[in-house]
Amino acid sequence: MENKHAGDRATKYWDVSAAEGAASGHPTREHDLNEAIQEAAALLRAGETVAFPTETVYGLGADARSDEAVERIFAAKGRPSDNPLIVHIAELSQLDEIVLDVNDTARRLMEAYWPGPLTLVLPVRPGAVSPRVTAGLSTVAVRMPAHDIALRLIAAAGCPVAAPSANRSGRPSPTLASHVGEDLAGLIGGIVDGGPTGVGLESTVAEAGPDGTVTVLRPGSVTAAALARVAASVHTDPALHSGRGESSPAPRSPGMKYTHYAPRGSLRIVRGQDPGAVVARVQAELAAAEARGEVTGVLAYDEHLHHYRASIAISLGPVGALENAAHRLYAGLRRFDEEGATFMVAEACPEEGVGLAVMNRLLKAAGDEVIDV
Ligand code: AMP
Ligand code: MG
């Protein structure tokens, strides 16, 4: 795989994406997949980093118990050390080794949504994982991914696997193995290519209090409404909604305070109730930018995309099916960089359901630059 970064290590690469597509149980598929998983698991056991697909985005895994292994994640990503990592498990039996106590609400959420894109913040069992994983907190974030390759790799490694998104810090999370290669080839032990990820945005992070209240610390595809089917009451950290004032409290999920996902050019969001006004403002922004000689980009919903003229036009799918926007957002932001966009406009979507997660990530990408019309 091409190495676009300064890293000079040999990064192993296993392509099991075709194997993934083949019918489950097909002998060739089984052989290739099993070989890749055994080799990748051996690297993890040796204290190395391995990128692997999950149903959310690609993760960069390492043995969560080992200081040295976890340090390799931070070094490869250039990640701030006060931003804790999510620990991935393959079986519920691994949970007791890592956490002290799981309250009834947390247990019900696991029954409903594991394996799946829901991370739960739980009291950490002292000494169970490296303090680099928890950034010194008394809690640890845990999830069980709903992805065959991820589950088999974690099980074969035989350890809890700390795995943040497999991108350089500040870059959009990877939804394809090629995104991982662009950012981390030469800096990590290996990449398991299982094809495109499903959801496209990172997991929902939530904490269940002893009173049955669930707090969403990071929005994702397991929505507040989905959590409310199981929990007595669900709160969303107010810092996660747009339009927050300077005086609002810092987000409780440490990672939420960093500017993530930012493309290299300047990105702004146009938001409004009146579709005609939104279209007119996006058109005006793009026309003015083109007149200034900018390389323009637009991220828009299918209902409006045909109204816009830009060097790079990216569809987020229909506004009525925001899971498409979640799936496409990061690849779209990366494409803007690849094609040299200097000025980009994105349409806002309603901050409801998965739309809250889409807007949360988009606002970070735009550095909160919103034009209200
Ligand atoms: P990433 O691994 O890049 O998907 O980021 C992990 C996210 O989980 C970050 O936003 C962290 O702040 C959050 N997180 C991890 N551990 C904890 C914890 N113990 N308490 C609260 N949030 C956490
Ligand atoms: Mg990340």
Side-chain angles (χ1 to χ4, degrees), residues 148-184:
D148 178 51
I149 293 174
L151 290 172
R152 288 173 65 168
L153 177 61
I154 298 162
C159 61
V161 174
S165 50
N167 51 284
R168 285 283 294 173
S169 235
R171 294 269 291 151
S173 295
T175 54
L176 292 171
S178 60
H179 298 158
V180 181
E182 281 161 26
D183 280 17
L184 298 176

Side-chain angles (χ1 to χ4, degrees), residues 118-154:
L118 173 66
T119 296
L120 291 166
V121 173
L122 298 161
V124 68
R125 184 175 287 282
V129 295
S130 164
R132 305 281 284 128
V133 168
T134 56
L137 298 170
S138 60
T139 51
V140 61
V142 188
R143 95 173 181 100
M144 188 188 289
H147 194 289
D148 178 51
I149 293 174
L151 290 172
R152 288 173 65 168
L153 177 61
I154 298 162

